[in-house]
Amino acid sequence: MASRRTEVAIEKIIASCDGNMRGALEALMLVNEHLEAELHRIYAVMSRIGQPDEECFETLH
């Protein structure tokens, strides 16, 4: 079961897409793609400056 905070966030996302579940899903997938690309850029920068602690990577996920 999702937390109340998650439920509210889901309702807001669906409402922002005029109740269109497919539109809400598409919006979330686009945001996820953007975040994944950002992580790849961070990993690329980190690999150029040296190997980070394992702890550092855990906080990014």
Side-chain angles (χ1 to χ4, degrees):
M1 173 136 189
S3 69
R4 179 69 185 138
R5 184 174 147 193
T6 300
E7 290 291 334
V8 169
I10 291 169
E11 292 300 321
K12 285 182 179 181
I13 292 165
I14 294 169
S16 71
C17 293
D18 297 323
N20 181 335
M21 295 284 279
R22 183 179 172 87
L25 213 98
E26 186 176 349
L28 288 172
M29 290 178 74
L30 289 171
V31 168
N32 190 58
E33 286 176 17
H34 172 77
L35 292 172
E36 286 179 359
E38 189 172 330
L39 273 175
H40 285 285
R41 287 191 296 274
I42 291 169
Y43 290 152
V45 168
M46 297 292 281
S47 69
R48 286 192 292 259
I49 60 174
Q51 294 296 325
D53 296 342
E54 287 293 317
E55 189 176 309
C56 180
F57 278 107
E58 289 176 16
T59 59
L60 291 174
H61 293 282

